[in-house]
Amino acid sequence: MEKLNAEELGCKANEIRLDAMVMGKQAGGGHLGGGLSSMDIMTALYFNVMNIDPAKPDMPDRDRFILSAGHKAVGYVPVLAEAGFFSKDLLSTFNKLDSPFGMHPDMHKIPGCEASTGSLGHGLPIGVGMALALRMDKNPARIFVLLGDGETHEGTVWEAAMGAAQHKLDNLTAIIDYNKCSMDGPIDEVVSLEPINDKWASFGWNVIRVDGHNMSELLDAFAKAAGQKGPTVIIADTLKAKGMPFAEGDYLWHYGCPSDEQIEETRIYLEEK
Amino acid sequence: MPGLNMADIEKMSARDAFGSALVAAGEKNPNLVLLGADAIGSTRAAAFADRFPERTFNFGIAEQEMVSAAAGFALCGKVPIATAYGFLISLRACEQVRDDICYQNLNVKLMSTHAGLSMAAGGTTHHSTEDVAIMRSFANMTIVAPSDALETVKAVQAVIDYNGPVYLRMGRGSLESVYSSEFVFEVGKSIQLRDGGDVTLIAYGIMVAEALKAAESLALEGIEARVINMHTIKPLDEAAVLKAANDTGCIVTAEEHNIIGGLGEAVAGCTSAAVPVPVLRVGINDIFCGIGPEDGLRAKLGLTAADITAAAKKAVALKR
Ligand SMILES: Cc1ncc(C[n+]2csc(CCOP(=O)(O)OP(=O)(O)O)c2C)c(N)n1
């Protein structure tokens, strides 16, 4: 796939934000808070970083992306459509009976989707398994796992964190969408992750901290991760619901349904950027 | 129920009824503590959290820790109510439930919301359609599943008053009212909602309303159905099941759950040992259910009044 530069990526991400909002609206609601906070990360991966070919979703040496925080599907599904894995016309079926897409992604129904997720805390251990298997086969593919910050409350995340370091998984990169919110509230009021950098470093991971809405920083981080020994975590500071001016940073937009006026307001806001 | 108005309850969703009942129970018992896993808002346990913040503990997205911690609370004299979606308690924290709650036989109340397919477009990862099978297989466990908002309120209080591990299974949205008048709710004692001599329909949760509708349409065809709300799935009200087998000669069970391991198997297990009669099971036929709105999914999977009606006719034919 043709690689977009940082500026183009920023525009692309904002276009897809609107697709996600329209899709969420048609479905009567969606996890837009987390879907949009991760949008720049996913756009950077699919339109620059990853070695993928939407025409050949089974290509053996393709890089793998696992949406461990499966509820972000409302953001992820339009990224896959925009990348060309399937027609954008299908987006209007989101959440409908027999649609390939619902709130959480199903790998058997969505071209380009590598793992069915939805219950939090499964993606990183699946990524560990993939990283071990691909390394056995001397396959050069990289594995990217996107986690919610709240998701890292789950014990399985830390089991995988230990395992990945133990096995020195150079080919595994985790990205934490650190939007500082989970479902019930600001994460520091629910269960804090701090000191987050030190935690991951002490588990044997390379830690890169970035602004998760700055494409240049994201691209640099992914490039740097490629050359590291052992697993790398990119901790991306983000805003929940990034891009919706009336909702940015608001945990109450974890799940919601925008009005037509709010979609229009967002369109104008993003065009001005 | 103190502080709760019956007319208001009838209009509530199952989750909201749950929240109100928790607050009422909290007023009565200062040892009641609420445990949540970053879903205190969406399970509607928030009503309790607002009223009793010092007795509310949010573990974040760590359901296993929450369930084991509930055991710790119980071991130190508290009455913990651990809340989460059904699949998270029964699947994610499965071993914690077995070892820490059931094996140690502790007075912990596991209160789950979003039962069955009520998470609809959430898809398979968010459907709770195996929980009854799992919980039934744990010794010491009691399983209660109310069928409407009013029964939810009574069930919450009843399981708190009951000593021992309980799994309470509640839905998400609004439920049709099943009860038109006052009734007594007792753990382990089923409630007959309609009498009939040709077939017995036994259901719990959202399927009780469907069974009542099925009974009405069967009546139009001259088939009189008894309808039993088996709100306690374990321990099963065997007396009511055997009486139904004797009186009506055939049974249809209905549940929003995999037919493997659910109420249907419990009923069949009970009758086959004492009064062997045809038992037909309406439920999810051992498949993952996919995505869609609740009604559409239920129709597709065969979980409607019409499906119960069809099964009842088959059951009646089998006994002849
Ligand atoms: C194991 C598990 N527990 C609970 C849930 C319900 N749930 C869905 S999203 C969410 C909050 C996720 O927060 P975070 O990981 O920070 O995601 P984001 O804020 O980026 O949306 C919760 C609790 C779930 N899907 N899986």
Side-chain angles (χ1 to χ4, degrees):
Chain A
M1 257 175 77
E2 192 204 336
K3 289 190 189 304
L4 303 187
N5 66 30
E7 196 181 326
E8 292 162 338
L9 286 170
C11 296
K12 181 68 81 185
N14 284 343
E15 277 170 40
I16 307 175
R17 282 191 164 93
L18 286 165
D19 291 343
M21 282 180 82
V22 169
M23 198 172 87
K25 156 98 193 167
Q26 280 171 342
H31 292 96
L32 286 168
L36 299 188
S37 63
S38 292
M39 188 56 79
D40 297 307
I41 298 163
M42 292 191 286
T43 305
L45 283 166
Y46 275 89
F47 295 91
N48 181 301
V49 177
M50 287 203 295
N51 171 34
I52 48 163
D53 181 355
K56 286 187 261 168
D58 297 328
M59 185 170 78
D61 63 346
R62 70 190 183 281
D63 289 342
R64 270 73 167 176
F65 173 80
I66 301 171
L67 184 72
S68 189
H71 63 280
K72 294 175 189 285
V74 69
Y76 172 58
V77 166
V79 168
L80 291 175
E82 183 67 30
F85 283 99
F86 47 83
S87 162
K88 284 176 83 170
D89 295 344
L90 280 173
L91 297 182
S92 62
T93 68
F94 191 73
N95 279 6
K96 307 253 155 63
L97 194 63
D98 295 326
S99 168
F101 333 110
M103 283 182 224
H104 307 97
D106 179 341
M107 65 167 284
H108 291 298
K109 301 216 175 105
I110 307 178
C113 173
E114 302 282 355
S116 303
T117 52
S119 185
L120 298 165
H122 292 241
L124 196 56
I126 292 176
V128 167
M130 284 184 176
L132 288 167
L134 292 169
R135 188 171 72 183
M136 274 175 78
D137 291 347
K138 305 212 167 23
N139 187 316
R142 296 173 73 186
I143 299 97
F144 299 94
V145 181
L146 178 61
L147 300 130
D149 49 0
E151 177 178 11
T152 69
H153 290 151
E154 287 287 0
T156 48
V157 172
W158 299 97
E159 294 171 25
M162 274 187 272
Q166 172 71 24
H167 295 292
K168 304 190 174 55
L169 296 177
D170 310 349
N171 51 353
L172 181 65
T173 302
I175 309 102
I176 298 176
D177 175 355
Y178 197 11
N179 61 23
K180 325 279 180 315
C181 297
S182 56
M183 190 154 77
D184 271 343
I187 199 146
D188 284 342
E189 289 173 25
V190 178
V191 172
S192 173
L193 307 177
E194 293 299 337
I196 187 171
N197 286 27
D198 297 349
K199 278 195 176 111
W200 285 89
S202 74
F203 271 68
W205 286 59
N206 309 301
V207 179
I208 306 176
R209 188 77 178 244
V210 297
D211 172 351
H213 301 309
N214 180 318
M215 287 296 183
S216 307
E217 284 191 31
L218 281 168
L219 294 182
D220 286 350
F222 285 119
K224 197 166 160 211
Q228 305 265 10
K229 288 274 156 242
T232 297
V233 59
I234 298 173
I235 299 173
D237 288 298
T238 58
L239 274 179
K240 198 131 176 168
K242 169 72 181 177
M244 300 198 297
F246 49 88
E248 284 185 349
D250 182 359
Y251 78 89
L252 291 173
W253 269 91
H254 178 72
Y255 185 93
C257 186
S259 66
D260 287 333
E261 293 72 33
Q262 286 173 324
I263 295 177
E264 208 36 48
E265 186 187 340
T266 305
R267 189 186 309 280
I268 293 163
Y269 175 78
L270 293 178
E271 269 164 15
E272 281 169 3
K273 296 222 144 186
Chain B
M1 192 127 317
L4 286 180
N5 174 321
M6 288 302 159
D8 290 342
I9 294 169
E10 275 176 37
K11 289 185 228 114
M12 288 179 184
S13 74
R15 283 187 292 173
D16 289 326
F18 163 58
S20 317
L22 275 186
V23 173
E27 304 283 3
K28 285 209 300 198
N29 184 349
N31 275 326
L32 214 67
V33 292
L34 175 75
L35 279 50
D38 195 39
I40 288 180
S42 94
T43 58
R44 297 291 188 274
F48 184 100
D50 292 342
R51 177 76 182 82
F52 306 109
E54 71 296 344
R55 285 198 256 151
T56 301
F57 302 90
N58 195 335
F59 288 79
I61 310 171
E63 297 80 11
Q64 295 171 310
E65 181 200 3
M66 173 185 72
V67 170
S68 293
F73 274 101
L75 286 165
C76 295
K78 304 296 176 197
V79 181
I81 314 253
T83 56
Y85 305 160
F87 71 95
L88 290 166
I89 293 179
S90 61
L91 297 171
R92 187 50 153 270
C94 182
E95 194 190 46
Q96 283 76 11
V97 173
R98 190 195 68 157
D99 293 7
D100 304 340
I101 311 299
C102 292
Y103 173 41
Q104 305 194 89
N105 203 9
L106 297 178
N107 191 27
V108 171
K109 312 306 165 189
L110 303 166
M111 299 202 178
S112 75
T113 60
H114 300 68
L117 299 169
S118 61
M119 198 72 121
T124 292
T125 60
H126 280 58
H127 294 160
S128 298
T129 52
E130 304 90 356
D131 53 341
V132 170
I134 292 164
M135 295 295 165
R136 269 186 71 217
S137 67
F138 295 160
N140 292 334
M141 184 57 103
T142 290
I143 308 170
V144 174
S147 59
D148 70 4
L150 194 54
E151 191 172 54
T152 300
V153 169
K154 290 187 184 247
V156 167
Q157 189 58 56
V159 305
I160 289 171
D161 293 342
Y162 182 90
N163 189 32
V166 179
Y167 178 74
L168 185 67
R169 185 189 207 244
M170 293 171 287
R172 169 166 84 146
S174 297
L175 298 172
E176 288 175 45
S177 286
V178 163
Y179 294 97
S180 43
S181 56
E182 200 38 70
F183 63 98
V184 176
F185 185 95
E186 197 184 318
V187 174
K189 184 107 187 56
S190 65
I191 296 174
Q192 183 174 311
L193 295 171
R194 178 184 175 118
D195 202 8
D198 298 324
V199 57
T200 301
L201 314 178
I202 307 181
Y204 62 88
I206 195 165
M207 296 306 284
V208 173
E210 297 303 308
L212 284 170
K213 283 182 235 162
E216 274 173 33
S217 61
L218 286 165
L220 295 178
E221 299 184 48
I223 300 173
E224 287 303 326
R226 178 177 297 179
V227 178
I228 293 176
N229 173 9
M230 193 60 74
H231 56 65
T232 305
I233 299 141
K234 184 185 176 186
L236 188 70
D237 185 350
E238 297 197 348
V241 170
L242 294 179
K243 184 165 188 310
N246 272 319
D247 292 352
T248 69
C250 65
I251 293 173
V252 172
T253 60
E255 55 194 321
E256 195 187 29
H257 186 274
N258 196 329
I259 53 166
I260 293 181
L263 172 71
E265 284 191 358
V267 167
C270 170
T271 55
S272 67
V275 189
V277 296
V279 176
L280 272 63
R281 293 168 295 156
V282 172
I284 296 163
N285 283 303
D286 198 25
I287 57 164
F288 291 122
C289 300
I291 290 155
E294 282 183 63
D295 290 353
L297 274 183
R298 290 196 184 105
K300 179 177 116 177
L301 294 162
L303 299 174
T304 66
D307 300 296
I308 299 174
T309 305
K313 288 188 204 162
K314 257 195 226 164
V316 170
L318 275 175
K319 72 177 170 171
R320 277 169 198 146

